[in-house]
Structure formats: structure tokens, C-alpha cells
Amino acid sequence: MDKSPSIKGSFSVTESCCCPPEAGNTVCDLPAQNFQRPHRTVNACPECSKTGKPIEGQTIKALLSVSLRQVQDIKYLFCRTRTCPAVYFSTDGEQTFTVGQVRERVYQKEPEAEDVFVCYCFRHTVSELRAAAPEDRIAIVDNINAGINAGQCACDLRNPQGSCCLGNVLSMIKRLEKLAFATT
Ligand SMILES: [Zn+2]
């Protein structure tokens, strides 16, 4: 049963999600495929007022650097606004965890920082993607897909957004390709 998307050469960010649970498929940004998503909560970040992205409970527990005594059995959302210091907030608006309280640097908050991971499970950084030739970028995407298909990812525990990085990687490659096209 091979459900791997054929991404080779066609960097479409509208690929549907084909990730397993360990890649956080229930909270993936890519369109759902063959599974039911839980109902999405619509809640605004108390800091920037933008709608947060649902995460699973284990994500906030794995990623926080503060005592987990502070984490309650309630819903938390991820804020992906670049300029906003909040990373996680509770849907009741009572709790906010900022970048300084998270064990990893967050790609969405520092998308231009050289040594920040785009892919946390397989350790691909912004600078690596930037420096890579087009064919090497395809190889990186293939490597990530191979890891996902082999069940080696743990995006729900490693990636602050709690879901697969593929959408971020593909849109970053698209941005880089556009830039290269504009400068040639
Ligand atoms: Zn925010």
C-alpha cells in the first residue's frame, strides 16, 4: 500500500496529506486524505489575534521547556504568526507560552534564520535548503517522503507545529525557485 505523493519535480503545495499519525496527520496543513479530521476549533491568539492551528496534547508536552505542571488537559493552539512571540496558547485565552519557553527554535517565527530547522525529524535546515542545487532540493524532499513512508518521523513530538513539515519545505523551495528565477 504505497500512498506516497508523486512530488518529484512538481512542487505543488496543494498535495494532500498522506502522513501517518506520528507525522501529526490530524492537524496537518495539507488537505486531508482518507481520514477524518477532528473538528477544528477556531480561536484567536491573545497576542496577535490571528487564528491558531490545532495541535495534539503530546506536542506541547514534548516541546515546552517549562514545567509540564503548567500544561492542563485543555485544548492548545499553535500561533504561526512570524512577528508574534506566542507559540502556544490555550483556547480559553488564559495561557500563553512564548518562544523562550519552547525547547526548539520555531521555523514560523524565524523563517530566514540559517540554522533553524524546516524539517525537525530529519534535520534539514533553512541554510541547507537555501544552499542546495535544485536537484538536491528534490533529493531532500524525497528523503523526507521516504522517512515518512518508513514511519521514521515524529512530527507530533519534534516539530513545534505538531504536524508534518512537508508543506513548509515545499513552499520554501517554491520561494527559493522564484527568487532564483527573478535574479537570472
Ligand atoms: Zn500570535
Side-chain angles (χ1 to χ4, degrees):
M1 189 186 80
D2 185 15
K3 288 266 163 59
S4 77
S6 51
I7 292 179
K8 277 177 198 155
S10 68
F11 291 115
S12 165
V13 286
T14 56
E15 289 281 354
S16 62
C17 173
C18 60
C19 297
E22 60 268 31
N25 64 6
T26 58
V27 294
C28 185
D29 282 332
L30 298 173
Q33 186 193 52
N34 300 333
F35 57 83
Q36 278 287 309
R37 285 243 168 88
H39 183 67
R40 285 205 170 207
T41 333
V42 179
N43 259 77
C45 170
E47 299 286 332
C48 71
S49 309
K50 295 269 167 57
T51 303
K53 170 193 182 312
I55 52 155
E56 297 176 67
Q58 69 262 34
T59 300
I60 190 163
K61 286 182 176 168
L63 269 304
L64 281 185
S65 59
V66 298
S67 168
L68 299 187
R69 290 280 291 150
Q70 297 185 38
V71 180
Q72 301 166 63
D73 189 19
I74 52 174
K75 288 241 176 297
Y76 290 94
L77 302 183
F78 172 75
C79 172
R80 53 193 141 188
T81 308
R82 181 174 179 174
T83 51
C84 179
V87 178
Y88 302 114
F89 59 94
S90 58
T91 53
D92 59 8
E94 294 294 312
Q95 271 188 306
T96 304
F97 297 104
T98 57
V99 283
Q101 297 172 303
V102 175
R103 287 145 55 102
E104 287 278 4
R105 287 172 68 185
V106 181
Y107 170 69
Q108 281 83 353
K109 307 294 181 187
E110 307 180 82
E112 304 297 333
E114 293 282 297
D115 49 351
V116 163
F117 289 113
V118 192
C119 170
Y120 289 78
C121 299
F122 308 124
R123 321 287 283 179
H124 297 293
T125 60
V126 167
S127 57
E128 181 192 357
L129 267 168
R130 232 184 236 151
E135 61 269 24
D136 295 332
R137 287 176 190 153
I138 292 173
I140 290 171
V141 173
D142 283 348
N143 176 260
I144 295 171
N145 270 316
I148 292 170
N149 289 330
Q152 293 170 311
C153 62
C155 315
D156 55 340
L157 305 174
R158 295 295 192 111
N159 191 334
Q161 74 181 21
S163 60
C164 178
C165 66
L166 223 40
N168 298 338
V169 172
L170 295 177
S171 47
M172 186 180 168
I173 290 175
K174 268 196 163 169
R175 271 203 316 277
L176 290 168
E177 282 176 352
K178 239 187 226 163
L179 240 136
F181 185 74
T183 53
T184 47

